[in-house]
Amino acid sequence: MVRTRILGCGTYLPANIVTNTDLSKRIDTSDEWIRERTGIHRRHIAADNEWTSDLAVHAANAALSDAGLKVSDIDLIMVATATPDHTFPATAAEVQRKLGLKRGAAFDLQAVCSGFVYGLSVADAMIKAGQAQTVLLIGAETFSRILDWTDRGTCVLFGDGAGAFVLQATPFDEIPGKKAEGPGILSCYLRSDGEYTDILYVDGGPSSTQTVGKLRMQGREVFRHAVTNIADAIRSVLRDVDLQISDIDWFVPHQANVRILTGTAKKLRIPEEKVILTVDRHANTSAASVPLAFGEGLVDGRIKPGDLVLFEAMGGGLTWGGVLARY
Ligand code: UT7
């Protein structure tokens, strides 16, 4: 039997930090409103000459060094992003070029804020099917490029950044009756509901308007679905391996709004000290937020080898899902 292990993690945040107070000088908002409604204090914004692939490469190099592997060990690059460098080729192909990787395959995966959780599930399936041995999965976004900076209801919510995992096939013999023992990805759950394409979307695209477009959101509607769908994802991944909420060491959620996270924690009786929170300093970095949060938990020593970690996300589509892994 083969399991997918998380061998390394790396992150990258652009140098430029924009605070709520900075934003309040440009639009009709306040530090108080943003903190109270979202928990966000500040966000990182990419420089004009920094593209999604540049952020991705920084995170990828950090993840490879954490894993103790060389670029040439990778046989598949997946980039989860809704803000690619170009319509095509895939940003993953740009990353492959910039890393100097001469082998393997590269493609992008589009599930907006759920992109990294979708990516973990796809990487796990590719590894278990024998189609890849060592996968570089990157969540990288420059959402600042698709924001309408005159719309205070959305532009205060997002930031730029990237996070990457190195995932590798590892032989593993399951102990009968102990599905959740041993390192690696233990269960995955993916969902989408296309009925709600109109509550969180970008109003442009190559086939429709031939423009890039700007992000549009009915915030209250998205909020309402988020708490229900995240609870669905968490319950489903746990059910798969006969575990309870109390078995989990760390919850690493997509970081959209601190109220969504505390609301979900309360609903499911998850102790708040088990939830890794970065939304206050990163804002919502879409597909990058899950690996950015995991990376922070690793670097500050909270997440340790052997810990049971539950990743979850929900975003445009609507898409949502969860992945349970032992680090
Ligand atoms: O990554 C996954 C996708 N995204 C999400 O999960 C986000 C989900 N939604 C949310 O986080 C929240 O709905 C928001 C933070 C976006 C908004 O919070 P809300 O409590 O739902 O506020 P609202 O949109 O209902 O607006 C309340 C008021 C309105 O004023 P009136 O009509 O009551 O006078 C807005 O115009 O707040 C006003 N408002 C602002 N005021 C100051 C909206 N944005 C701002 C702002 N600064 N930035």
Side-chain angles (χ1 to χ4, degrees):
M1 191 179 154
V2 164
R3 278 250 183 101
T4 302
R5 275 193 76 168
I6 303 168
L7 277 199
C9 173
T11 61
Y12 177 76
L13 289 160
N16 180 28
I17 294 174
V18 176
T19 65
N20 294 344
T21 307
D22 293 333
L23 289 180
S24 70
K25 291 173 190 154
R26 288 155 52 179
I27 51 165
D28 180 16
T29 189
S30 66
D31 179 43
E32 193 191 5
W33 190 96
I34 302 170
R35 279 178 194 246
E36 261 178 26
R37 299 292 178 118
T38 70
I40 297 165
H41 300 186
R42 56 181 197 258
R43 70 286 292 138
H44 292 250
I45 301 292
D48 290 346
N49 61 355
E50 256 182 333
W51 293 3
T52 293
S53 61
D54 298 314
L55 274 53
V57 166
H58 282 295
N61 280 322
L64 282 164
S65 133
D66 186 42
L69 295 187
K70 302 183 296 295
V71 169
S72 56
D73 293 321
I74 299 297
D75 50 28
L76 173 64
I77 299 175
M78 284 166 51
V79 176
T81 189
T83 46
D85 289 1
H86 297 102
T87 302
F88 79 81
T91 299
E94 276 298 326
V95 170
Q96 186 182 26
R97 181 178 67 79
K98 288 180 179 173
L99 287 175
L101 178 63
K102 302 285 184 203
R103 60 189 288 265
F107 65 89
D108 286 0
L109 188 151
Q110 160 62 293
V112 206
C113 298
S114 310
F116 199 82
V117 166
Y118 266 60
L120 284 172
S121 177
V122 173
D124 185 44
M126 297 276 288
I127 283 175
K128 285 185 174 145
Q131 288 201 287
Q133 283 286 314
T134 307
V135 179
L136 177 62
L137 170 64
I138 309 166
E141 302 278 17
T142 47
F143 256 52
S144 60
R145 307 273 157 74
I146 54 162
L147 296 175
D148 174 352
W149 287 99
T150 64
D151 175 14
R152 67 178 184 170
T154 54
C155 75
V156 303
L157 304 174
F158 296 89
D160 301 334
F165 280 8
V166 174
L167 301 155
Q168 196 168 59
T170 313
F172 181 76
D173 289 325
E174 198 172 280
I175 308 156
K178 294 196 171 176
K179 286 190 214 167
E181 291 306 308
I185 292 181
L186 304 173
S187 77
C188 301
Y189 173 78
L190 300 184
R191 274 297 322 270
S192 64
D193 188 346
E195 277 302 306
Y196 300 102
T197 47
D198 59 341
I199 63 172
L200 177 51
Y201 64 102
V202 167
D203 62 3
S207 180
S208 53
T209 59
Q210 298 85 58
T211 61
V212 172
K214 298 290 182 205
L215 183 145
R216 307 291 170 204
M217 177 168 72
Q218 294 174 35
R220 213 156 255 216
E221 270 297 287
V222 176
F223 193 109
R224 198 169 63 76
H225 287 285
V227 178
T228 314
N229 293 346
I230 291 166
D232 170 47
I234 293 176
R235 289 197 184 106
S236 302
V237 276
L238 288 175
R239 198 166 41 231
D240 231 28
V241 282
D242 307 322
L243 290 182
Q244 315 292 321
I245 296 274
S246 55
D247 295 317
I248 305 302
D249 295 303
W250 298 106
F251 290 84
V252 181
H254 167 52
Q255 312 276 323
N257 184 325
V258 82
R259 283 163 49 221
I260 296 177
L261 301 181
T262 50
T264 314
K266 206 168 156 198
K267 183 172 169 159
L268 296 181
R269 297 211 176 86
I270 298 171
E272 279 188 37
E273 59 276 12
K274 284 190 173 183
V275 183
I276 309 263
L277 271 185
T278 52
V279 66
D280 52 338
R281 288 151 294 123
H282 303 169
N284 181 346
T285 57
S286 182
S289 91
V290 164
L292 275 165
F294 184 78
E296 185 164 298
L298 277 187
V299 167
D300 67 21
R302 277 178 290 175
I303 302 174
K304 296 187 181 61
D307 281 354
L308 203 52
V309 183
L310 201 155
F311 304 98
E312 54 85 349
M314 128 91 209
L318 295 175
T319 52
W320 66 99
V323 169
L324 182 69
R326 195 176 287 283
Y327 178 57

